[in-house]
Amino acid sequence: MNDMRPVERIVDTDKPKIAARGCQVYYGENHAIKDVDVDIEDKAVTAFIGPSGCGKSTFLRCLNRMNDTIDVCRVEGDIRIDDEDIYDRKVDPVQLRAKVGMVFQKPNPFPKSIYDNVAYGPRIHGLAKDKAELDEIVERSLRRGAIWDEVKDRLTAPGTGLSGGQQQRLCIARAVATEPEVLLMDEPCSALDPIATEQVENLIDELRQNYSVVIVTHSMQQAARVSQKTAFFHLGNLVEYGETGQIFNNPKDPRTESYITGRIG
Ligand SMILES: Nc1ncnc2c1ncn2[C@@H]1O[C@H](COP(=O)(O)OP(=O)(O)O)[C@@H](O)[C@H]1O
Ligand SMILES: [Mg+2]
């Protein structure tokens, strides 16, 4: 119909945002992550799926060095964000975690006001030069967390007084307040009701415009709804990784097929 349409180009998605090579994780004698290689895209949602105990959370925690906080845990291999080795001695894990934000299963607002929950990170990282700038960061973050309209008239009220779904969106606002580039979410909806889950899923879909989002989920339906890429883990191995549609409709590995058809899990 339209001869003038532009010639379709294959967009070079070029460099991955996160690249892991030969990643091993041990908890004492327990070899929890076995030689994982993966490239994670920028501006996309990647889902980690697999049976309970297969290592999804463990691998997620490698990506912002949260495993450093677990005494018995040992991480080996090479993990790069924008080609920078995040386990390099010169990397400060506190700075890294501002750049690679995390949202947990159970909403965990600080016992502080809604405002202070979001202002906390920008304050410790010195991101605002004055109160007006901090106010702007707080508003922008709450908007990104899709919760501004619900809390703008009660910013001094405690964050813990919000509903579960609102608390989780507040935690997402808190995570984005330090201008991260990657957002890690470990089963962020598992404590939420279906309506709050839908709101958070919609938010995740918006967030991918600005961030590389990695979400652990035990819900295959959720992975299919929110992600573009899916990684299937089994017994500490990354068994299969690809476009979400391919993983669910045309899995290559029999273990993936068993899991998605409900035979293992
Ligand atoms: N803090 C920890 N200390 C010791 N072992 C752990 C810890 N967290 C996880 N593990 C072990 O690592 C393996 C993977 O667990 P995990 O990453 O939590 O799996 P998933 O998130 O897929 O359910 C399991 O064998 C689990 O018992
Ligand atoms: Mg887990």
Side-chain angles (χ1 to χ4, degrees), residues 14-32:
D14 52 49
K15 289 205 170 137
K17 186 70 185 173
I18 306 171
R21 293 294 178 269
C23 182
Q24 320 278 350
V25 184
Y26 302 87
Y27 295 101
E29 297 291 293
N30 179 8
H31 192 179

Side-chain angles (χ1 to χ4, degrees), residues 52-53 55-58 61 105 186-187 216:
S52 180
K56 304 179 295 294
S57 298
T58 297
R61 286 196 299 266
Q105 192 163 343
D186 195 347
E187 308 210 19
V216 169

Side-chain angles (χ1 to χ4, degrees), residues 19-261:
R21 293 294 178 269
C23 182
Q24 320 278 350
V25 184
Y26 302 87
Y27 295 101
E29 297 291 293
N30 179 8
H31 192 179
I33 288 292
K34 298 168 185 160
D35 204 22
V36 166
D37 291 348
V38 70
D39 282 343
I40 293 172
E41 277 177 31
D42 198 8
K43 314 266 190 283
V45 179
T46 301
F48 290 174
I49 64 167
S52 180
C54 67
K56 304 179 295 294
S57 298
T58 297
F59 186 66
L60 191 77
R61 286 196 299 266
C62 291
L63 307 179
N64 70 346
R65 293 184 52 174
M66 281 296 279
N67 287 324
D68 290 18
T69 64
I70 302 172
D71 268 349
V72 295
C73 191
R74 198 168 88 244
V75 177
E76 292 174 2
D78 187 68
I79 300 180
R80 291 173 183 268
I81 296 184
D82 292 328
D83 218 17
E84 189 194 9
D85 176 4
I86 64 169
Y87 285 84
D88 192 286
R89 277 170 195 282
K90 67 175 190 292
V91 172
D92 171 0
V94 175
Q95 294 290 342
L96 175 70
R97 290 175 202 137
K99 184 172 154 174
V100 185
M102 194 156 191
V103 175
F104 299 87
Q105 192 163 343
K106 201 169 162 288
N108 60 348
F110 303 135
K112 292 171 180 290
S113 70
I114 292 167
Y115 184 98
D116 286 338
N117 262 275
V118 181
Y120 181 83
R123 277 189 183 123
I124 59 171
H125 292 283
L127 300 185
K129 66 175 186 311
D130 55 24
K131 174 79 166 72
E133 203 173 339
L134 191 59
D135 288 352
E136 266 172 46
I137 293 173
V138 169
E139 176 173 343
R140 184 169 68 236
S141 303
L142 288 166
R143 286 186 187 281
R144 286 200 175 157
I147 192 178
W148 171 251
D149 288 338
E150 290 158 69
V151 301
K152 63 177 187 238
D153 299 323
R154 48 172 168 155
L155 293 175
T156 56
T160 48
L162 297 168
S163 73
Q166 289 173 325
Q167 288 186 26
Q168 197 61 308
R169 282 179 284 134
L170 175 65
C171 291
I172 293 170
R174 182 177 67 189
V176 300
T178 55
E179 296 291 334
E181 295 168 22
V182 178
L183 277 178
L184 308 178
M185 300 186 169
D186 195 347
E187 308 210 19
C189 300
S190 62
L192 306 184
D193 65 43
I195 292 170
T197 295
E198 192 183 342
Q199 288 171 327
V200 171
E201 286 183 2
N202 291 340
L203 173 58
I204 291 168
D205 195 53
E206 283 167 33
L207 291 169
R208 81 178 150 99
Q209 295 175 26
N210 295 300
Y211 308 96
S212 173
V213 181
V214 186
I215 178 175
V216 169
T217 176
H218 64 262
S219 160
M220 289 185 271
Q221 291 78 8
Q222 178 166 72
R225 283 193 299 264
V226 303
S227 72
Q228 288 73 53
K229 287 288 185 80
T230 294
F232 170 64
F233 288 82
H234 187 238
L235 300 174
N237 299 296
L238 173 53
V239 169
E240 190 165 350
Y241 176 54
E243 299 287 334
T244 295
Q246 179 257 310
I247 296 290
F248 285 101
N249 300 318
N250 192 18
K252 295 193 172 80
D253 191 286
R255 290 166 291 180
T256 316
E257 187 179 12
S258 293
Y259 181 68
I260 63 168
T261 57

